[in-house]
Amino acid sequence: MIDDIGSEQIAAITAYVDTEALPPERRPTAHILFGTNQARPAEIAAERYHQGLAPLIICTGGVNRHNGIVEGRMFRRLLLDRGVPDDVIRYEDRSANTWQNVEFALPFLHEALEKGLAVTAVCKWYHRRAVHALKTLTPDIGGFYAITWDPVYAGQPVTRESWPVIPDGRRRVIREWQEVPRRVTQGGFQDTNIADGAWR
C-alpha cells in the first residue's frame, strides 16, 4: 500500500489528513475531546482551561476495546485531577466510534453554540473524520477549530513525519485518507475544509 507511493504522495496524504486549525490566540472556545485511551486530550484541555481558553469541555468515549476503560469518564477524572471544576465538564460515555462521539455529545455542542462559543476539536493530528463528523452532525456549527496531538502506539509517537514507517500509524493515516473522501462522495459526510484559519 504505502510501499508503492513516493515522497510527494506521502506529503499529499499528510496534508490531507492533517486536521489542525488552531483557535485564535486569546479566544475562549468550547473543547470537545474525541475518545481515546490516551491522556493527552485531557492534558491539553486542562492547560487551556487554566489559561481561560476552555470554559466548557466536552468529553466523549465509551468502553475502549483495547483496555476496557470508559474514555469519557477517564477524561472527566483526569480533568478533575488537574483542577478543572466539575461544572465546566460535560461527558458522554456510550459512544463506540467517532460518529457517535459527536452524536451523543450533541446536547453539549448545542449548549456551547447557544452560549456563543465556537467549538474546538481536540483530536489526533490525522483524525480528519472528526472534523467531518462535527460538520455533518452540527450543521449550524459555523467556523470551528482543531487542536491536535501525536498519539503513541507500541511506544512510538505517530507524527506527521514518522507515520509512514510505523505500522500502526501507517494503517491509521491511510485509512483516513481513503475513507473520508469516499464518505464525502457517498454523502455520509459533509465536505469541510480550512478557510480563513477555521474548518468551514
Side-chain angles (χ1 to χ4, degrees), residues 15-76:
Y16 177 78
V17 300
D18 193 341
T19 62
E20 186 151 284
L22 297 175
E25 192 172 332
R26 293 180 184 85
R27 181 179 182 184
T29 61
H31 288 47
I32 177 169
L33 315 187
F34 279 83
T36 179
N37 63 7
Q38 299 187 36
R40 187 64 186 135
E43 294 168 354
I44 291 168
E47 289 164 10
R48 291 181 61 79
Y49 167 79
H50 290 296
Q51 294 166 6
L53 298 173
L56 181 67
I57 302 172
I58 302 165
C59 306
T60 71
V63 177
N64 184 279
R65 66 182 181 275
H66 300 297
N67 63 6
I69 66 160
V70 181
E71 296 166 346
R73 294 180 200 166
M74 177 196 76
F75 282 153
R76 177 177 175 271

Side-chain angles (χ1 to χ4, degrees), residues 2 4-16 160 163-164 177:
I2 196 73
D4 301 327
I5 63 177
S7 58
E8 285 185 15
Q9 191 168 15
I10 288 173
I13 293 169
T14 303
Y16 177 78
R160 292 164 178 84
W163 72 262
W177 174 64

